Amino acid sequence: MTLKFARTRKTVVSLFAATMLSGVALTPAMAKTLVYCSEGAPEGFDAALYSANSTWDASAETIYDRLTEFESGTTKVIPGLAESWTISDDNLEYTLKLREGVKFQSTDDFTPTRDFNADDVLFTYNRQLDKNDPWNSYFPGANWEMFNAMDMPSVIKAIVKVDEKTVKFVLKQPDASLPSKLALNFGSIMSKEYADKLAAEGRREDLDRKPVGTGPFRFVDYQQDAAIRFAANADYWAGAPKIDNLIFAITTDPTTRMQKLQAGECHVAPYPAPADVAGLKANPDLTVLEQPGLNVSYLAMNTLIAPFDKLEVRRAINMAIDRKAIVGSVYQGMGQVAKSVLPPTMWGYNGKIEGYSYDPEMAKKLLDGAGVKDLKMKIWAMPVSRPYMPNARRAAELMQADLAKVGIGVEIVSYEWGEYLKKVRDEARDGAVILGGTSDNADPDNLLSYFFSCSGVGGSNNANWCYKPLDEIFQKARTSSDQSERTKLYEEAQAIISDQAPWVPIAHSTVVLPMSKKVKNYVMEPLGSHRFEQVDIED
């Protein structure tokens, strides 16, 4: 089968914002600069190395493109750098025709000599697929988390260069979700020519520090933990952005973000505290968008560490935590208690799962039956607000109080965001972590495999819980093209996860995004990203 598709601002700024603008080339009568108050600093700029949305917003959604993309505002897969693709009769070969005339960005120390071609696709994927590839371990601790969590090494047999503008993905087994997986951020296409230059000069790590892509914005510079500056890519194949400069002003505190927004220091500011939403809606200078999030927040126990390797203990902790009280206090009407690990707005959701009821007395009995007394544990609280969790510290304090009632002493710990994300992947981690996620492609496999596959242990599987019968269900679901059959398998998977209780599912949030009324054409993305290629600002 063949699939083919078509595809002078005045700013009120504070001294801080003016400082951020220094060095950006502005033509006063014409240049348009949008300031986005980002909630967290990026871990780096090679999108395949990381899994945080704050990092992807600053890399995958600005600098890079993928072979396939998600249509803005939807979960529909459309062509990206691959303008069309064909699928063999046995569903084991996907042949992709690459887009002509796509140019990589130029920077101060790199000027491309050729357009995007098949070599770039092979470089982007083989460095993740092949452990012997010289770029597989170019960055300390590189584990290609999302690529492995999606079990791509079990799916892809080889990637073949047919010619300069054609590549073929040869699969080990059918995978009906491959086109949507190619749109995930680990598939952000890198320049092989740039990588070769960096290797020759002995500075491979600049692939992550000084990024080059084909996307709508080119990287200008990064002031650590303060600001990232981008400029419009005038040669962007899909048309140059409407704004000339894009600045990410890194502002981790949600109250400060909203203050900057209302003072005119930034134009878009995500993830307000729920208590601030009513006031933001009442501000006549702001537009406040909102929609149900395809997300989940959770507390993940490390099942490799005693006593969390005991099912009774995990169930006891689920029963000891009053999730309804957490949602009421932390989300304040902007979320609902999670019964399953999938959000109810996603296909494949198992509505028959009720989850664990708040039952401290039963929790005590389960702990006694497991021979666990005077348990001490750590709960890790994120230092930043996320779309799925507005205030992890407050949630942790409520959990601490609940667990004390059943005889469990809790120490709350936290780390800087990048360090937090690094440390939670340690298989020897001491503590249960508060985290969450937003679906990247609206396919149940994305969240389920990412969080619970055996291949994700030590990476995205923050419970470090490997359950072979569950992996077999994931495998069956991936190889089926029948959505009703896949739905049944994913419903079964959710029932197993609920029964085995490696997590305490907490909530599914409503995502709120306030912005200046000067911002035009902004579209909320159901998959949680922030995109600016079509955004404009009126004078």
Side-chain angles (χ1 to χ4, degrees):
M1 83 187 79
T2 301
L3 303 176
K4 189 166 186 176
F5 307 81
R7 182 141 156 136
T8 43
R9 191 184 71 81
K10 294 180 181 178
T11 309
V12 179
V13 293
S14 67
L15 179 61
F16 172 78
T19 300
M20 291 193 301
L21 289 169
S22 64
V24 176
L26 294 176
T27 304
M30 298 177 62
K32 295 182 179 182
T33 297
L34 185 142
V35 181
Y36 170 67
C37 276
S38 172
E39 79 284 2
E43 303 153 274
F45 295 93
D46 182 346
L49 290 172
Y50 308 109
S51 61
N53 276 63
S54 50
T55 296
W56 286 340
D57 284 343
S59 56
E61 303 299 345
T62 48
I63 300 164
Y64 302 108
D65 294 308
R66 287 143 294 281
L67 294 173
T68 61
E69 300 283 357
F70 295 108
E71 182 179 58
S72 183
T74 78
T75 59
K76 178 184 177 183
V77 177
I78 62 173
L81 295 181
E83 64 180 9
S84 65
W85 55 92
T86 59
I87 308 171
S88 63
D89 290 340
D90 61 5
N91 294 316
L92 290 176
E93 293 185 354
Y94 284 69
T95 302
L96 291 84
K97 186 66 177 176
L98 305 182
R99 195 175 294 277
E100 298 277 355
V102 175
K103 300 184 183 304
F104 280 98
Q105 301 145 4
S106 296
T107 66
D108 290 341
D109 59 0
F110 174 70
T111 301
T113 64
R114 63 165 177 80
D115 290 348
F116 155 73
N117 66 26
D119 292 332
D120 304 309
V121 177
L122 268 62
F123 169 72
T124 297
Y125 280 92
N126 283 336
R127 69 194 183 121
Q128 302 177 69
L129 184 65
D130 182 3
K131 293 186 183 300
N132 295 317
D133 188 287
W135 284 89
N136 182 262
S137 58
Y138 90 95
F139 197 83
N143 66 0
W144 311 111
E145 180 177 315
M146 178 63 81
F147 186 81
N148 290 319
M150 293 292 94
D151 212 17
M152 297 300 283
S154 296
V155 173
I156 299 174
K157 181 178 181 180
I159 305 169
V160 178
K161 177 181 177 180
V162 178
D163 57 43
E164 290 293 310
K165 290 298 180 182
T166 311
V167 295
K168 181 184 294 184
F169 281 72
V170 182
L171 309 186
K172 296 177 182 178
Q173 60 201 20
D175 186 344
S177 65
L178 184 69
S180 66
K181 286 179 177 175
L182 297 181
L184 298 179
N185 291 322
F186 64 71
S188 295
I189 299 298
M190 317 291 283
S191 166
K192 184 179 187 301
E193 182 184 17
Y194 180 49
D196 288 344
K197 180 179 187 291
L198 294 177
E201 295 173 356
R203 51 190 189 99
R204 289 177 186 266
E205 290 187 12
D206 276 356
L207 193 69
D208 183 56
R209 296 169 177 166
K210 298 180 179 181
V212 170
T214 63
F217 296 93
R218 61 178 179 84
F219 176 80
V220 176
D221 65 31
Y222 173 38
Q223 295 170 279
Q224 183 73 38
D225 299 324
I228 316 164
R229 296 184 296 171
F230 306 92
N233 178 4
D235 296 323
Y236 187 45
W237 61 269
K242 295 177 174 60
I243 56 174
D244 302 286
N245 301 289
L246 173 64
I247 296 175
F248 279 36
I250 298 164
T251 313
T252 58
D253 179 68
T255 299
T256 305
R257 281 199 302 278
M258 298 310 120
Q259 289 172 345
K260 287 184 178 181
L261 175 67
Q262 295 185 89
E265 295 177 24
C266 56
H267 301 101
V268 183
Y271 317 133
D276 293 338
V277 172
L280 294 168
K281 288 182 176 179
N283 187 328
D285 296 325
L286 301 180
T287 298
V288 180
L289 306 180
E290 64 179 78
Q291 66 183 13
L294 285 171
N295 61 40
V296 63
S297 60
Y298 60 82
L299 177 73
M301 295 162 269
N302 187 352
T303 63
L304 295 178
I305 303 297
F308 307 106
D309 56 340
K310 293 186 176 183
L311 176 59
E312 297 87 349
V313 173
R314 301 197 299 268
R315 287 176 173 169
I317 289 174
N318 267 271
M319 292 180 179
I321 292 175
D322 187 351
R323 295 173 300 141
K324 185 176 180 180
I326 291 174
V327 171
S329 175
V330 175
Y331 293 80
Q332 298 185 29
M334 303 304 294
Q336 60 180 299
V337 172
K339 296 180 179 180
S340 175
V341 298
L342 289 186
T345 50
M346 178 176 285
W347 72 266
Y349 174 74
N350 189 339
K352 297 178 181 178
I353 293 174
E354 289 298 324
Y356 290 88
S357 300
Y358 175 54
D359 192 340
E361 293 306 314
M362 179 57 70
K364 290 178 185 178
K365 291 179 182 178
L366 287 171
L367 292 170
D368 289 342
V372 174
K373 297 184 183 298
D374 300 319
L375 175 62
K376 307 293 183 185
M377 64 180 289
K378 293 177 180 178
I379 288 181
W380 293 26
M382 296 180 297
V384 298
S385 53
R386 303 298 302 134
Y388 48 77
M389 172 54 73
N391 190 335
R393 181 76 191 194
R394 178 58 180 151
E397 290 169 350
L398 293 169
M399 294 178 190
Q400 182 184 50
D402 285 341
L403 291 168
K405 296 173 185 176
V406 300
I408 299 175
V410 170
E411 176 189 358
I412 300 173
V413 299
S414 192
Y415 301 91
E416 179 273 329
W417 183 224
E419 190 69 9
Y420 188 98
L421 292 171
K422 180 180 178 182
K423 286 179 176 292
V424 297
R425 301 177 182 116
D426 187 351
E427 292 182 36
R429 182 194 75 233
D430 177 18
V433 299
I434 297 175
L435 259 173
T438 301
S439 175
D440 300 301
N441 63 2
D443 189 297
D445 181 68
N446 175 241
L447 287 180
L448 292 173
S449 288
Y450 181 76
F451 287 131
F452 299 108
S453 67
C454 291
S455 61
V457 170
S460 59
N461 184 339
N462 291 315
N464 292 315
W465 178 64
C466 174
Y467 193 67
K468 292 295 185 183
L470 188 66
D471 253 23
E472 291 171 4
I473 290 173
F474 294 159
Q475 182 75 10
K476 289 179 184 176
R478 286 190 206 109
T479 58
S480 173
S481 58
D482 183 339
Q483 186 165 317
S484 62
E485 180 183 355
R486 295 184 75 205
T487 294
K488 291 177 183 177
L489 290 166
Y490 290 133
E491 287 176 346
E492 182 182 354
Q494 291 165 77
I496 290 172
I497 294 165
S498 179
D499 178 70
Q500 293 293 306
W503 276 12
V504 180
I506 301 171
H508 310 293
S509 75
T510 299
V511 180
V512 176
L513 185 62
M515 63 190 68
S516 166
K517 282 196 172 175
K518 292 183 178 181
V519 176
K520 302 300 177 185
N521 306 329
Y522 190 94
V523 176
M524 284 192 82
E525 302 299 333
L527 302 175
S529 62
H530 297 91
R531 296 168 60 174
F532 298 98
E533 65 265 32
Q534 296 298 323
V535 173
D536 201 354
I537 303 176
E538 70 176 16
D539 292 336

